[in-house]
Amino acid sequence: EIKSNNFIDKNRGKRAAMNAPIQGSAADIIKIAMVNVHNRLFEEGLKSKLILQVHDELIVEAVEDELGIIEALLKEEMENAVYLDVDLDVDLNIGNSWYETK
């Protein structure tokens, strides 16, 4: 596409080429955070479970009396999954379903 004579196709190819490393890096970061969260849940003997990852979200089925611990653990592991020159900000939401957290 980048070598296309068609302006639209050429620009689409340029956007895809610029976006690929960003999307790939984001996928790597969430996977690192996911592994770290899983390990911490296990190491700390918590009953809450990491059940799903969707794009840049981690879904945890949390035991109610562990909510405070889980919130802190998720925020810490997701914000510190990798070192970057910019901060990774994490928004946490709680609900009885994934829909309720939106």
Side-chain angles (χ1 to χ4, degrees):
E1 292 178 328
I2 290 176
K3 294 183 179 184
S4 174
N5 290 330
N6 181 301
F7 177 79
I8 294 171
D9 288 341
K10 186 173 191 162
N11 282 324
R12 183 183 314 122
K14 285 181 180 180
R15 284 191 305 276
M18 289 186 295
N19 190 43
I22 296 167
Q23 291 295 322
S25 296
D28 290 343
I29 292 168
I30 195 66
K31 287 175 186 164
I32 291 167
M34 183 172 51
V35 169
N36 292 345
V37 166
H38 172 77
N39 290 341
R40 287 271 309 274
L41 291 171
F42 178 76
E43 290 166 3
E44 295 185 22
L46 298 168
K47 296 176 187 168
S48 300
K49 302 289 181 214
L50 178 61
I51 59 169
L52 186 63
Q53 178 248 323
V54 180
H55 302 292
D56 62 349
E57 298 179 19
L58 296 180
I59 312 297
V60 174
E61 187 173 68
V63 176
E64 194 166 341
D65 62 340
E66 295 178 352
L67 280 177
I69 296 167
I70 298 302
E71 285 181 284
L73 185 149
L74 281 170
K75 189 165 181 64
E76 179 183 336
E77 293 301 338
M78 291 182 77
E79 287 182 344
N80 297 300
V82 296
Y83 173 78
L84 299 172
D85 288 339
V86 295
D87 293 336
L88 293 173
D89 292 326
V90 174
D91 293 324
L92 294 168
N93 296 298
I94 298 172
N96 290 320
S97 68
W98 187 28
Y99 178 78
E100 284 185 16
T101 65
K102 297 293 179 185

